[in-house]
């Protein structure tokens, strides 16, 4: 059993300050053991890990350690951002939009109240005229009553038009603010470097697609992809070029999948591709096309006239079968990905292929 897992499971029941100190000590022990940076983000992750309040943190950390032997800078950044906090700009934007929506709702309530008041006033005017009509002593008196009613009616119609316009404007503004809020929420589920979905969005989507496939019997495939010799790219050309390669790969996948599909950045140079309503044969052919396209794509080396050629990727592909969980599909796809790597890389591996 991994020492980090054992340390978490050995946590003795305690309460209050004593438990906090125990968790803090275990967090520092894990920082030292795995040689992760002793900064606030890393400490927050390890503390959440030993506290064991959020199973998603435990799963992500265990998965990262199993794959890399430690938490990479990407793991630390993504776990902290996706599970432990939100970017200040996102929080600020969400607060501002919420305040604006609240203001518009207040305006709508005022318009409704004004409409009710005007309706009551016109009703009172009608009641007054109704009481006065039987006692109208002359044609002039009757004409005066009719003239007053017509003026009140015109005023009511004008006010109604103004209120309706106010309601329309507020409805449009609320719709616009809701759209902005959706965009902010989308940003929370995007990888900032590649602009594809992040791990949080992937986990949520895969769970939904598995439920749907289990209920409907529709096909569902999952691919795990990894850029070959990526460390060598970083070491040779630098991290900026490595980032450009990641962006290039994400772009190639995005341009080749359908609207219902999803590509997500799963780890440092690892990506996941969800393919709903796609059979294994079609999914395999799609990945072969993506693999070929990426290999033949040139990535510019910033600040020079050079380009990187022949960077390749390997793929592991699995089809959903009844009873499979998200973890089952990921582990099975990873299994075929390792087969592709061990077979020489630049390959797509799946059951029967």
């Amino acid at each position: 059993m991994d020492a980090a897992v054992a340390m978490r499971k050995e946590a003795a029941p305690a309460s209050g300050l004593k438990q906090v100190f125990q968790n803090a000590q275990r967090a520092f022990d894990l920082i030292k053991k795995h040689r992760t940076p002793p900064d606030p983000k890393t400490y927050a992750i390890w503390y959440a890990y030993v506290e064991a309040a959020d199973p998603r943190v435990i799963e992500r950390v265990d998965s990262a350690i199993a794959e890399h032997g430690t938490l990479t800078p990407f793991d630390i950044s993504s776990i902290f951002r996706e599970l432990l906090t939100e970017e200040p700009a996102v929080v600020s934007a969400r607060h501002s939009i919420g305040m604006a929506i609240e203001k518009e709702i207040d305006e709508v309530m005022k318009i409704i109240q004004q409409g009710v008041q005007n309706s009551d006033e016109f009703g009172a005017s009608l009641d007054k005229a109704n009481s006065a009509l039987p006692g109208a002593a002359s044609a002039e008196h009757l004409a005066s009553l009719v003239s007053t009613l017509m003026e009140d009616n015109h005023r009511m119609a004008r006010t109604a038009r103004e209120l309706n316009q106010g309601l329309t404007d507020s409805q449009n503004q609320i719709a616009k603010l809701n759209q902005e809020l959706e965009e902010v929420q989308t940003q929370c589920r995007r990888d900032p470097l590649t602009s594809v979905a992040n791990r949080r969005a992937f986990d949520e989507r895969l769970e939904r697609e598995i439920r749907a496939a289990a209920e409907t019997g529709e096909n569902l495939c999952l691919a795990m992809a990894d850029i070959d010799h990526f460390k060598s790219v970083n070491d040779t050309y630098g991290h900026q070029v490595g980032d450009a390669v990641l962006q290039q790969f994400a772009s190639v996948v995005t341009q080749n999948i359908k609207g219902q599909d999803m590509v997500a950045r799963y780890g440092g140079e690892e990506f996941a591709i969800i393919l709903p309503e796609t059979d294994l044969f079609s999914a395999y052919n799609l990945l072969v096309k993506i693999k070929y396209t990426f290999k033949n794509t040139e990535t510019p080396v910033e600040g020079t006239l050079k380009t990187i050629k022949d960077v390749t990727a390997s793929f592991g592909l699995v089809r959903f079968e009844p009873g499979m969980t998200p973890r089952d599909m990921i582990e099975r796809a990873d299994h075929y990905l390792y087969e592709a790597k061990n077979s020489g890389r630049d390959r797509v591996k799946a059951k029967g292929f």
Side-chain angles (χ1 to χ4, degrees):
M1 179 183 298
D2 186 272
V5 178
M7 192 173 295
R8 173 167 50 80
K9 290 186 175 180
E10 288 171 2
S15 60
L17 197 58
K18 181 180 179 181
Q19 181 68 68
V20 172
F21 280 120
Q22 288 178 349
N23 289 343
Q25 184 58 55
R26 291 188 178 93
F28 282 119
D29 290 344
L30 289 169
I31 287 174
K32 182 178 179 181
K33 170 181 168 52
H34 293 283
R35 298 181 180 179
T36 48
D39 57 34
K41 286 185 179 180
T42 309
Y43 172 77
I45 291 170
W46 283 121
Y47 188 94
Y49 180 83
V50 298
E51 187 181 33
D54 188 343
R56 297 174 304 169
V57 174
I58 296 169
E59 182 180 356
R60 289 285 293 276
V61 170
D62 286 346
S63 175
I65 292 175
E67 183 173 356
H68 307 121
T70 186
L71 294 180
T72 66
F74 174 80
D75 294 328
I76 293 169
S77 176
S78 60
I79 293 173
F80 183 81
R81 183 181 63 251
E82 295 168 21
L83 299 181
L84 298 181
T85 189
E86 292 181 333
E87 296 292 339
V90 172
V91 175
S92 176
R94 192 179 282 165
H95 175 73
S96 298
I97 294 172
M99 293 292 290
I101 290 176
E102 184 177 337
K103 180 180 178 182
E104 289 301 324
I105 291 175
D106 286 341
E107 289 299 319
V108 169
M109 294 305 298
K110 289 178 182 177
I111 291 172
I112 293 173
Q113 291 171 359
Q114 183 64 43
V116 171
Q117 180 180 342
N118 288 343
S119 179
D120 290 343
E121 289 176 358
F122 189 63
S125 179
L126 287 175
D127 290 341
K128 182 178 179 181
N130 185 53
S131 300
L133 279 174
S138 63
E140 290 79 3
H141 189 191
L142 183 60
S144 176
L145 289 174
V146 172
S147 177
T148 300
L149 283 175
M150 290 180 65
E151 288 178 4
D152 288 344
N153 182 61
H154 289 316
R155 179 178 57 80
M156 181 68 179
R158 183 174 62 254
T159 303
R161 286 194 298 271
E162 292 172 355
L163 293 177
N164 283 335
Q165 185 60 50
L167 281 174
T168 299
D169 292 343
S170 290
Q171 287 172 345
N172 291 338
Q173 182 64 14
I174 289 173
K176 180 181 177 182
L177 290 169
N178 277 326
Q179 183 178 356
E180 291 178 5
L181 187 59
E182 286 180 9
E183 291 173 358
V184 170
Q185 297 283 43
T186 299
Q187 290 175 9
C188 294
R189 287 166 167 73
R190 291 283 175 192
D191 173 59
L193 175 65
T194 62
S195 297
V196 300
N198 62 20
R199 176 70 179 272
R200 174 194 288 182
F202 165 77
D203 288 339
E204 293 174 356
R205 177 70 182 278
L206 181 60
E207 189 171 341
R208 290 200 306 271
E209 293 296 345
I210 285 178
R211 283 201 304 267
E215 292 173 1
T216 64
E218 287 283 356
N219 285 308
L220 171 64
C221 287
L222 171 68
M224 301 300 292
D226 191 88
I227 297 175
D228 298 324
H229 302 297
F230 185 71
K231 184 177 184 302
S232 177
V233 173
N234 276 335
D235 292 343
T236 304
Y237 301 99
H239 288 281
Q240 285 189 332
V241 174
D243 288 348
V245 170
L246 294 172
Q247 292 169 334
Q248 190 80 272
F249 180 79
S251 176
V252 168
V253 177
T254 301
Q255 291 171 14
N256 282 277
I257 61 178
K258 303 187 294 291
Q260 65 188 7
D261 304 332
M262 170 190 268
V263 55
R265 189 177 177 193
Y266 190 81
E269 65 271 19
E270 191 172 8
F271 292 77
I273 308 169
I274 301 175
L275 302 167
E277 300 179 19
T278 306
D279 61 77
L280 191 66
F281 183 75
S282 299
Y284 179 85
N285 286 337
L286 171 65
L287 296 180
V288 169
K289 178 184 177 184
I290 290 172
K291 178 184 74 70
Y292 178 81
T293 303
F294 178 62
K295 183 177 181 179
N296 288 276
T297 300
E298 297 184 4
T299 302
V301 177
E302 188 175 353
T304 74
L305 298 177
K306 298 179 180 178
T307 59
I308 301 178
K309 301 178 181 178
D310 298 324
V311 179
T312 62
S314 300
F315 300 79
L317 175 64
V318 64
R319 179 184 62 191
F320 172 75
E321 296 176 3
M324 273 188 167
T325 65
R327 179 182 286 274
D328 293 335
M329 289 198 75
I330 293 169
E331 289 180 350
R332 196 65 180 160
D334 267 334
H335 167 77
Y336 287 116
L337 173 59
Y338 294 141
E339 276 196 11
K341 291 281 191 182
N342 293 332
S343 299
R345 296 180 170 83
D346 189 24
R347 301 169 191 272
V348 180
K349 285 289 186 179
K351 185 177 181 180
F353 291 92

